[in-house]
Amino acid sequence: MKTCAIVGINWGDEGKGRMVDLIAEDYDVVVRYQGGSNAGHTVINEYGKFALNLIPSGIFRREVINVLGNGTVIDFEHLSMEVDKLRKAGVYISSENLKISDRAMIVFPYHKELDALEEARLKDKKYGSTKRGIAPAYSDKYQKKGIMAGELLYPEYLKNHLRDILEWKNLTLQNVYNSKPYTLDDAMAWLDKYATEFKSHICDTGVLLREAKKNGKSILFEAQLGALRDIDYGIYPYTSSSTPLASYGPIGSGAPDISLDYVIGVVKAYSSCVGEGPFTAEWFNEEAEELRKAGNEYGAATGRPRRVGPIDILATSYGVTVQKADCIALTKMDVLSYMDKIPVCTGYEVDGVELKSFPLTPVLEKAKPIFIEMDGWKTDISGIRKFEELPKEAQEYVLFIEKKINCPVKYVSVGPDRDAIILRGGDE
Ligand code: GDP
């Protein structure tokens, strides 16, 4: 049966949560395979409006099994808060429908503290971290100084391991940042308080996913962020600390032996970006403010105003390539309805020469956008559900983009609600 990934093609916040919520209906398992509580997948459905930080967007479908894979980093305090919020809204969550990989890394309070301390030290050179401890937790993983969620099931092992790690971690906290050390008692008490309730959720997610596959179940991989924030292929160092690429889906889930059948790349009809780093098509001043307001571009996880600009063909084509997207979900088309003319960034110029491909950060920092303008449609399209019923200019905008990025636009989203979607072509 099918495996599918829903991934971000741009800088994140493309509307992945909304697409997963829509598509999860056809899947038995939904997996988050990277990142941590820094995500903010907005989902609006019969339960209300949510910004899901850690929990997969399949949680609203009662029969779906949701998995936090080994590629994620988990702050149990945050997870506990998120579960409480969802339960209060009537969403069913138990160890049956929310599974946590025994190999996922734990984000401790000291990771969050280090994140904030380092951003403060960097001052105006900061990376724009969400300060949720993600980068310090991933650094520890690769320094082999992390604690796996599965260690919670082996308390003696965990205690000894954590003691050794704190001895090392406190050297940094005290000597580099002049901060307070963490005691083993503090860390164990924090785990007791927030992680204990999740012990029954922890399992070998590889066994679960292989079993699901063997029994003909379908699996949906839900990415956080977008291709341009990928640690290897993004605008390093203004990236996330993990790999939001589709090809990492099976690896970060527990079953690297499972392959992907289909990749849906989510692209916003214009560009937005949270945090620092080069953002070539960026708009400033009133036109930015107008677009930001029209698109409600304020971070779901942090409330930070997002940087905005026209859609960027060069960056989007690069995202399509590295994600190996089979089709595109073009979101927030309705937001562009107020514009007389719709600018499109078709490429970049450096020192008067047009670039042929998306460049490395030092070149990107010097790149100037090349804009063209398309006709706007100046009419509310949020109630339209058929492509042929869109104004001619809106159809042309979609067709132009799909041609330029060389990938078919299969979904056009015209509103945040689950049903505000236009489906083009047949099923995958
Ligand atoms: P994600 O992290 O990729 O899931 O994206 P976010 O949730 O951070 O940002 C997407 C925002 O756009 C959310 O507030 C969604 O409710 C909203 N949204 C998604 N699709 C549409 C759409 O087609 N039209 C409008 N107006 N809003 C949308």
Side-chain angles (χ1 to χ4, degrees):
M1 268 298 268
K2 60 190 171 178
T3 53
C4 172
I6 296 194
V7 296
I9 295 291
N10 305 123
W11 297 265
D13 307 317
E14 299 92 346
K16 296 174 294 293
R18 169 254 189 289
M19 288 307 297
V20 177
D21 177 59
L22 176 81
I23 281 165
E25 183 175 31
D26 299 330
Y27 287 82
D28 301 298
V29 184
V30 177
V31 196
R32 279 274 314 269
Y33 57 88
Q34 43 81 224
S37 57
N38 53 338
H41 294 179
T42 308
V43 174
I44 302 173
N45 56 29
E46 66 272 25
Y47 291 100
K49 179 174 178 179
F50 306 89
L52 296 178
N53 301 136
L54 261 166
I55 296 183
S57 309
I59 200 70
F60 302 100
R61 310 271 186 181
R62 180 66 182 82
E63 34 332 299
V64 168
I65 293 179
N66 294 271
V67 175
L68 288 169
N70 54 282
T72 63
V73 291
I74 299 177
D75 171 354
F76 282 104
E77 184 175 348
H78 199 100
L79 184 63
S80 174
M81 186 191 74
E82 204 173 328
V83 165
D84 280 354
K85 227 191 250 175
L86 285 162
R87 281 194 181 135
K88 279 201 184 104
V91 180
Y92 176 80
I93 304 181
S94 75
S95 55
E96 282 161 47
N97 71 338
L98 179 65
K99 304 285 185 186
I100 297 173
S101 166
D102 53 4
R103 291 173 182 273
M105 290 289 151
I106 301 180
V107 178
F108 282 92
Y110 55 77
H111 289 121
K112 285 191 273 190
E113 187 177 340
L114 281 167
D115 211 348
L117 287 167
E118 179 56 12
E119 284 285 280
R121 188 191 71 80
L122 285 167
K123 295 200 178 81
D124 56 344
K125 291 190 173 170
K126 66 185 190 308
Y127 294 129
S129 165
T130 52
K131 302 191 193 122
R132 298 207 170 161
I134 311 302
Y138 275 110
S139 319
D140 281 5
K141 172 177 177 171
Y142 289 100
Q143 287 207 67
K144 294 162 282 177
K145 298 276 201 260
I147 300 275
M148 298 183 290
E151 293 181 47
L152 289 165
L153 308 179
Y154 305 95
E156 267 320 295
Y157 179 98
L158 168 69
K159 202 167 175 182
N160 290 330
H161 192 189
L162 193 52
R163 183 182 294 113
D164 290 346
I165 284 175
L166 285 175
E167 197 181 301
W168 168 79
K169 189 53 78 185
N170 284 334
L171 291 175
T172 312
L173 278 165
Q174 292 176 283
N175 300 328
V176 178
Y177 294 106
N178 238 330
S179 191
K180 272 198 346 263
Y182 274 78
T183 66
L184 183 60
D185 286 348
D186 290 340
M188 291 304 289
W190 183 85
L191 285 175
D192 271 351
K193 186 164 177 194
Y194 297 110
T196 308
E197 66 167 306
F198 294 106
K199 279 190 187 174
S200 57
H201 297 243
I202 295 169
C203 65
D204 180 339
T205 54
V207 170
L208 183 141
L209 292 172
R210 285 185 200 101
E211 195 61 22
K213 189 101 195 338
K214 203 171 90 193
N215 294 327
K217 309 274 188 209
S218 50
I219 304 169
L220 186 61
F221 297 92
E222 174 182 10
Q224 182 203 335
L225 284 160
L228 299 164
R229 298 290 191 194
D230 180 81
I231 182 90
D232 280 283
Y233 297 97
I235 52 171
Y236 190 87
Y238 304 102
T239 58
S240 185
S241 306
S242 61
T243 301
L245 297 187
S247 51
Y248 187 73
I251 298 174
S253 301
D257 46 317
I258 289 179
S259 53
L260 281 177
D261 297 328
Y262 199 70
V263 176
I264 301 176
V266 187
V267 174
K268 203 177 264 189
Y270 53 93
S271 299
S272 76
C273 154
V274 174
E276 309 300 318
F279 182 42
T280 313
E282 184 165 12
W283 268 354
F284 302 92
N285 311 325
E286 294 88 57
E287 56 183 1
E289 198 44 42
E290 208 176 354
L291 178 54
R292 188 175 297 120
K293 277 210 186 105
N296 191 24
E297 293 297 344
Y298 302 91
T302 59
R304 287 188 287 185
R306 292 176 183 151
R307 298 159 72 192
V308 293
I311 194 166
D312 180 332
I313 298 292
L314 192 65
T316 303
S317 302
Y318 178 70
V320 165
T321 302
V322 293
Q323 291 287 19
K324 201 169 182 292
D326 293 297
C327 80
I328 295 298
L330 188 66
T331 60
K332 305 192 90 164
M333 270 290 281
D334 53 307
V335 172
L336 300 182
S337 299
Y338 77 92
M339 292 185 188
D340 291 318
K341 292 278 179 190
I342 305 181
V344 172
C345 171
T346 53
Y348 306 162
E349 215 176 69
V350 173
D351 301 329
V353 179
E354 187 171 348
L355 299 183
K356 291 201 167 33
S357 56
F358 191 76
L360 201 67
T361 311
V363 179
L364 191 60
E365 284 189 343
K366 295 195 293 183
K368 303 264 178 299
I370 302 167
F371 289 118
I372 59 146
E373 276 189 342
M374 300 200 58
D375 290 334
W377 45 91
K378 294 285 278 182
T379 174
D380 180 9
I381 56 169
S382 59
I384 295 177
R385 298 291 176 267
K386 289 203 173 97
F387 187 72
E388 310 75 57
E389 289 171 12
L390 281 173
K392 178 175 68 52
E393 295 83 356
Q395 292 188 28
E396 276 165 8
Y397 187 74
V398 173
L399 296 175
F400 178 78
I401 286 163
E402 82 175 357
K403 186 163 172 226
K404 284 284 179 191
I405 64 175
N406 197 22
C407 192
V409 173
K410 184 169 162 189
Y411 303 89
V412 180
S413 174
V414 290
D417 294 342
R418 193 181 268 174
D419 72 335
I421 196 100
I422 296 170
L423 180 60
R424 292 177 70 211
D427 263 345
E428 66 266 26

